[in-house]
Amino acid sequence: MNRVATIRKNIVRNKKILSAMKRRLVIWAVAVVAFCGFSYLIDPFDPVWQGYLDTPLQMIIEDTLWVLLFSVIISEVSILIDMTLNKLLPWRDRTIKRLLIQGFLQIVGSVLIVIIINAIVDGTSDNLPEMDYRKEYTLLGQWIATNIVISLIISAFNTVDYLLANWKKTAVEAAQHKLRASKHKQAAMAAELQALKLQIDPHFIFNNLSVLSELILEDQQLGYEYSEKFARVYRYLLVNSRKDIIVVEEELKFLDSYIFLIGKRIGEGVLFKIDVQEEYKQMYTLPLSLQLLVENAIKHNQTSKANPLEIHVYTNSDGELVVSNTFLPLINKPDSSGVGLTNIIARYEILGYAKPIIEKTEEKFTVKLPLI
């Protein structure tokens, strides 16, 4: 593994070196083109240009090498100034101040390069042709002007490259930050959803174990049958309660078993009517949503043989699974844990589906669950 990591590091390092060399070559090429172009534009009618192609090849090669050397020197000095300022005075801190200082240093550096090179040439060459001082100063001025232009062009090139690299880096960091925030949000939503699912277990167990304990005291055989059904229902709950969605047909099978438990628990105090069309049975809903709504209806309404609570489970033409019950409110309202209906609405919202619709009249209480 260490060897593989070392190889990868070497590959990345070599790519960076190659990229830096390509960038250097581009800058040098820009400097050469700028030097030649600006030198010509300063005085395009100079007799030197008219007969330049007729000069000996050796002289052309020497001029080319001097231009290349001079362009490389200008480029490297310009790059050095920009790199130093990037560390000492980044663009994001004081933009105007950085622009003024960078321009000033580039101009000063260009002038110093010309002065130094001119002094070296004068001190080492004995066969320089005599030239009128006005012509000499004119050429020196042109040389300085050319050098300044090249330095500013290279500086602009470096600045644009630096700003683009930083913009790309900032964009990548922003995208990574957004991705991390999205992952954190998803994790928080998943944790919240899981907490909502776990609320189902104690709510379900408490009601049915209470009934089971009473049935065992009254009729052991009935208590045994009830415990078998309860175990079957609870097994289904364990398997499916942690799923996000479930097929409607499976939820209806669970509801049938759950209705058996309610029948033994309440008797004829509740009447059920199930009318779900076949075309909707292969669609999806939230696990245990029907059980929670039925339990909610029983908890908040009167259930008596003389005036039974009617619970109707059906589907409508809008593709909704509807649980409707007659409204027979208790005289003494029980303490609500806020699990049932609140749980279902919260799970729909977290999963990003349309929220359930709640309709309440003087006679009925209806909840419409959007099918998925």
Side-chain angles (χ1 to χ4, degrees):
M1 293 297 294
N2 292 333
R3 185 178 180 182
V4 173
T6 302
I7 293 174
R8 288 179 178 176
K9 287 182 180 179
N10 291 334
I11 292 174
V12 173
R13 184 178 59 192
N14 292 335
K15 285 183 177 180
K16 289 182 177 180
I17 294 173
L18 183 61
S19 176
M21 287 301 300
K22 287 181 178 179
R23 182 173 172 274
R24 274 292 202 281
L25 290 175
V26 170
I27 292 175
W28 294 350
V30 170
V32 170
V33 172
F35 184 87
C36 296
F38 195 75
S39 297
Y40 174 77
L41 291 175
I42 286 179
D43 190 3
F45 302 104
D46 192 322
V48 174
W49 299 112
Q50 297 177 4
Y52 187 75
L53 295 178
D54 297 330
T55 56
L57 180 60
Q58 181 179 355
M59 186 175 293
I60 294 177
I61 294 175
E62 289 179 358
D63 288 345
T64 303
L65 292 176
W66 273 109
V67 169
L68 180 60
L69 177 62
F70 192 67
S71 299
V72 169
I73 293 173
I74 296 174
S75 301
E76 292 304 313
V77 171
S78 180
I79 292 172
L80 178 62
I81 292 172
D82 290 345
M83 290 178 63
T84 303
L85 289 177
N86 288 339
K87 295 178 181 178
L88 301 178
L89 188 63
W91 281 99
R92 62 178 178 272
D93 293 342
R94 297 179 180 179
T95 306
I96 302 299
K97 184 177 180 180
R98 165 64 190 267
L99 179 64
L100 295 175
I101 292 176
Q102 180 169 308
F104 175 76
L105 291 178
Q106 292 291 350
I107 293 173
V108 172
S110 301
V111 174
L112 289 177
I113 290 174
V114 173
I115 293 174
I116 292 171
I117 293 179
N118 189 61
I120 293 173
V121 172
D122 287 341
T124 56
S125 300
D126 298 328
N127 55 348
L128 289 176
E130 292 292 332
M131 187 181 300
D132 182 69
Y133 73 94
R134 289 175 297 182
K135 180 65 173 179
E136 185 177 356
Y137 286 140
T138 300
L139 292 177
L140 185 62
Q142 292 175 351
W143 191 8
I144 291 175
T146 303
N147 202 8
I148 291 174
V149 170
I150 296 172
S151 297
L152 294 178
I153 290 175
I154 299 302
S155 180
F157 183 89
N158 290 329
T159 299
V160 171
D161 183 70
Y162 173 81
L163 294 177
L164 286 176
N166 276 268
W167 172 80
K168 183 178 179 181
K169 182 180 178 182
T170 303
V172 171
E173 289 177 351
Q176 291 175 345
H177 177 74
K178 187 176 181 180
L179 181 61
R180 286 194 297 268
S182 177
K183 288 182 178 179
H184 292 163
K185 184 178 179 181
Q186 289 178 357
M189 291 175 64
E192 184 178 355
L193 179 61
Q194 189 62 27
L196 289 169
K197 292 175 182 177
L198 292 175
Q199 289 177 346
I200 297 171
D201 293 6
H203 183 73
F204 177 79
I205 295 171
F206 175 78
N207 289 328
N208 288 281
L209 286 181
S210 298
V211 175
L212 179 60
S213 62
E214 294 176 3
L215 288 176
I216 290 174
L217 293 175
E218 296 176 3
D219 187 338
Q220 290 186 356
Q221 181 60 32
L222 183 59
Y224 174 76
E225 292 178 5
Y226 189 92
S227 65
E228 287 290 316
K229 290 287 186 180
F230 175 64
R232 187 180 303 171
V233 170
Y234 191 64
R235 188 181 303 112
Y236 176 88
L237 185 149
L238 290 176
V239 172
N240 296 287
S241 65
R242 285 171 170 77
K243 293 181 179 179
D244 291 340
I245 56 176
I246 193 169
V247 178
V248 172
E249 188 173 14
E250 293 295 322
E251 184 72 1
L252 289 173
K253 290 179 181 178
F254 168 75
L255 183 62
D256 287 339
S257 300
Y258 186 65
I259 288 174
F260 170 83
L261 300 182
I262 293 175
K264 298 302 179 183
R265 180 173 126 199
I266 301 177
E268 297 179 4
V270 182
L271 297 178
F272 287 94
K273 182 180 179 181
I274 310 298
D275 186 18
V276 177
Q277 299 177 27
E278 289 294 329
E279 60 184 294
Y280 294 113
K281 288 185 178 180
Q282 297 307 312
M283 297 185 72
Y284 291 84
T285 187
L286 301 189
L288 307 175
S289 56
L290 295 181
Q291 179 257 331
L292 285 174
L293 291 176
V294 169
E295 190 69 30
N296 188 67
I298 294 172
K299 182 177 181 180
H300 295 282
N301 291 278
Q302 301 177 40
T303 55
S304 63
K305 185 177 181 180
N307 188 18
L309 175 67
E310 297 179 6
I311 299 178
H312 188 193
V313 180
Y314 62 97
T315 49
N316 59 21
S317 58
D318 295 327
E320 296 171 324
L321 184 61
V322 184
V323 178
S324 179
N325 61 271
T326 51
F327 190 56
L328 305 170
L330 295 170
I331 297 175
N332 296 320
K333 294 183 179 181
D335 294 332
S336 177
S337 62
V339 172
L341 188 56
T342 303
N343 181 292
I344 294 172
I345 294 173
R347 283 195 286 159
Y348 265 98
E349 185 176 2
I350 290 174
L351 292 171
Y353 301 120
K355 293 182 180 180
I357 299 174
I358 302 172
E359 297 176 352
K360 183 178 179 181
T361 65
E362 293 183 356
E363 298 180 351
K364 286 189 176 183
F365 185 84
T366 303
V367 178
K368 299 179 180 179
L369 303 176
L371 290 176
I372 302 166

